[in-house]
Amino acid sequence: MKQRNSIIILILALCLSLALMTGCFPEKPEAPVEYKITIDENIEHGSVQCEMATAKAGDTITVSAEADANYQLISITVNGEAIEGNTFVMPAADVVISATFGLSADLIKEVPAGALVIKAQSAGGASATGHIFMTFG
């Protein structure tokens, strides 16, 4: 009986060793890789914000952009490529978010006789108006 128990224990030990060596037990899953989200520091005439500093590949990222007074958002870019709207899907890489702002369309108005009126106002309240006359034909 003692010999039989020893054989059973030996067989169980061999089976366990074999299972460990062949990977029968599932490994712990690796933690998903998080990639860095950076806002370009050289944005002019507005600001860009992102609630996340890191994200996993495949996450949907929302970006908010706010133009300074007298400017409007032209585009938001991720790694130099313009995105549609204000969301993008995080790639499997670090990203840099930037934006381009241009003069507000309210500042440039067409007037009759081929003249353009350009109005500008500084943050301090000072304003200027300029007229450009063009002749076509």
Side-chain angles (χ1 to χ4, degrees):
M1 182 78 164
K2 231 179 183 185
Q3 186 179 9
R4 186 175 178 185
N5 286 342
S6 295
I7 292 173
I8 291 173
I9 291 172
L10 181 62
I11 291 172
L12 288 174
L14 287 172
C15 288
L16 182 59
S17 296
L18 186 60
L20 289 172
M21 288 190 305
T22 59
C24 289
F25 293 105
E27 294 181 22
K28 291 181 184 177
E30 290 185 29
V33 176
E34 297 246 336
Y35 297 97
K36 193 172 169 186
I37 299 172
T38 305
I39 304 296
D40 183 357
E41 294 179 3
N42 298 316
I43 297 172
E44 295 180 342
H45 310 300
S47 62
V48 172
Q49 295 178 357
C50 182
E51 292 181 355
M52 304 171 78
T54 62
K56 297 180 287 282
D59 286 353
T60 298
I61 309 301
T62 301
V63 179
S64 59
E66 186 175 336
D68 291 344
N70 300 320
Y71 287 86
Q72 65 185 9
L73 176 65
I74 303 297
S75 67
I76 297 173
T77 60
V78 175
N79 288 346
E81 302 220 5
I83 62 171
E84 294 249 348
N86 67 332
T87 61
F88 68 95
V89 176
M90 186 71 178
D94 293 344
V95 297
V96 176
I97 300 171
S98 190
T100 302
F101 297 92
L103 281 175
S104 173
D106 295 339
L107 297 177
I108 302 174
K109 298 181 181 179
E110 285 190 49
V111 294
L116 288 176
V117 177
I118 301 173
K119 294 182 181 180
Q121 184 172 5
S122 72
S127 63
T129 303
H131 296 271
I132 300 172
F133 294 95
M134 294 180 240
T135 305
F136 300 98

